C-alpha cells in the first residue's frame, strides 16, 4: 500500500519484514543476530511468543549479514512429519541458496561428491532435488562446509522438528546439530521457537541424554513492546499513512492490546480492519 506521496507503507503490514527501515523498534535484536553471525559462537536460539516479530528480526538480520544462508520455515511441514517432506523443504532451500547467492557452481561441485543430489536447469530456472532415500544430512553439511566460506542455516519454529519421522524411525536433528557444532566451524545455526518450552526441551541443553548437552548456545528472547514502544509504533505508523488520530484513542488501544507488533497492534491499525 502507498501513501499520498507515493511511499510504500509497510509498518502496518502483517507480512514479515526483510529490511531494517521497515522494522520498528528492533535494532538491538537485529544487531544481536548480526553479532552472532560475525562472531565465534555456533548456535543461536531465538525465543518469543507467536507474532512478536521473530521472523522479521531474523530475516532482516540475514539480509544484512551478507553471508549465504539457508532459511527453512518448519511450519511448512504442515503435519507431514516425514523425512521425505523435510527433504523437499531442504531442496527448496538449496535452490534458493544457489539462485540468490549465485552458488550454482558450488552446488554442482557438491553433486560430484554426493550421489542423490540432482541439479535441474540453470540460472533462475534452477531446481535442486535432494533424494531423501540416499543422502545423509551430515554428508551434505560436510560438502557445504568444504565448498563455502561460511553459511548460516536458519530454521523458524524449530520445535516442530521434534516430530520428524523417517522410514526407519525419527531423524534425530539434535544429533546432526551436535555434529555440526563440533565439526563444521563455518556453519552457523539459528533456531527460532514460539513454544519456548518445547524448543528448549527439543535441544536438551540440560539433559545429559541429549546430543547437545553441555554445548554453549547463545540465546535471544524477543519480548512484546512495552507501553511506550506500542504507543510510538502506532503514532509512527499512522503518520506514514497521513492519518491524524487522537492520542486518547491510541492510549485506549494500547491499554487493550498486548504489545504484539505482528498481531493485535498491527491488526488494530490496518485501515478498515477494526471498523
Amino acid at each position: 500500500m502507498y501513501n499520498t506521496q507515493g511511499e510504500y507503507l509497510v509498518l502496518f503490514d502483517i507480512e514479515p519484514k526483510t529490511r531494517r527501515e521497515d522494522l520498528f523498534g528492533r535494532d538491538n535484536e537485529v544487531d544481536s543476530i548480526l553479532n552472532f553471525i560475525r562472531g565465534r559462537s555456533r548456535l543461536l536460539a531465538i525465543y518469543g511468543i507467536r507474532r512478536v516479530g521473530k521472523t522479521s528480526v531474523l530475516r532482516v538480520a540475514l539480509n544484512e549479514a551478507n553471508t549465504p544462508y539457508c532459511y527453512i520455515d518448519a511450519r511448512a511441514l504442515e503435519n507431514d512429519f516425514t523425512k521425505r517432506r523435510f527433504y523437499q523443504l531442504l531442496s527448496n532451500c538449496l535452490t534458493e541458496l544457489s539462485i540468490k547467492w549465485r552458488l550454482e557452481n558450488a552446488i554442482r561441485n557438491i553433486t560430484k561428491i554426493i550421489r542423490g543430489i540432482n541439479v535441474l536447469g540453470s540460472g533462475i530456472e534452477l531446481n535442486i532435488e535432494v533424494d531423501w532415500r540416499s543422502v545423509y544430512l551430515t554428508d551434505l553439511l560436510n560438502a557445504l562446509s568444504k565448498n563455502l566460506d561460511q553459511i548460516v542455516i536458519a530454521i523458524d519454529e524449530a520445535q516442530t522438528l521434534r516430530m520428524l519421522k523417517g522410514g526407519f524411525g525419527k531423524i534425530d536433528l539434535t544429533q546432526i546439530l551436535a555434529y555440526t557444532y563440533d565439526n563444521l566451524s563455518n556453519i552457523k545455526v539459528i533456531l527460532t521457537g514460539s513454544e519456548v518450552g518445547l524448543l528448549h526441551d527439543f535441544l536438551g541443553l540440560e539433559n545429559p541424554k541429549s546430543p547437545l548437552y553441555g554445548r554453549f548456545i547463545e540465546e535471544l528472547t524477543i519480548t512484546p513492546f512495552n507501553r511506550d514502544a506500542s504507543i510510538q509504533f502506532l503514532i509512527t505508523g499512522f503518520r506514514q499513512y497521513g492519518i491524524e488520530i487522537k492520542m486518547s484513542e491510541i492510549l485506549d488501544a494500547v491499554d487493550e492490546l498486548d504489545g504484539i507488533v505482528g498481531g493485535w497492534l498491527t491488526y488494530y491499525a490496518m485501515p478498515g480492519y477494526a471498523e
Side-chain angles (χ1 to χ4, degrees), residues 247-274:
M247 180 58 71
S248 59
E249 294 184 31
I250 290 178
L251 294 178
D252 287 344
V254 168
D255 289 339
E256 286 291 326
L257 305 174
D258 53 10
I260 307 298
V261 65
W264 301 121
L265 284 175
T266 297
Y267 288 134
Y268 162 79
M270 289 173 63
Y273 186 88

Side-chain angles (χ1 to χ4, degrees), residues 39-60:
R40 299 181 62 183
S41 299
R42 308 283 183 83
L43 182 59
L44 170 66
I46 303 174
Y47 305 113
I49 59 178
R50 293 189 189 280
R51 308 303 299 175
V52 78
K54 297 185 303 300
T55 299
S56 290
V57 170
L58 175 59
R59 297 303 291 260
V60 168

Side-chain angles (χ1 to χ4, degrees), residues 103-114 119 143 147:
L103 294 173
E104 180 179 344
N105 290 337
I107 299 299
R108 289 187 185 278
N109 287 337
I110 291 174
T111 64
K112 298 175 183 177
I113 303 172
I114 304 175
V119 181
N147 283 273

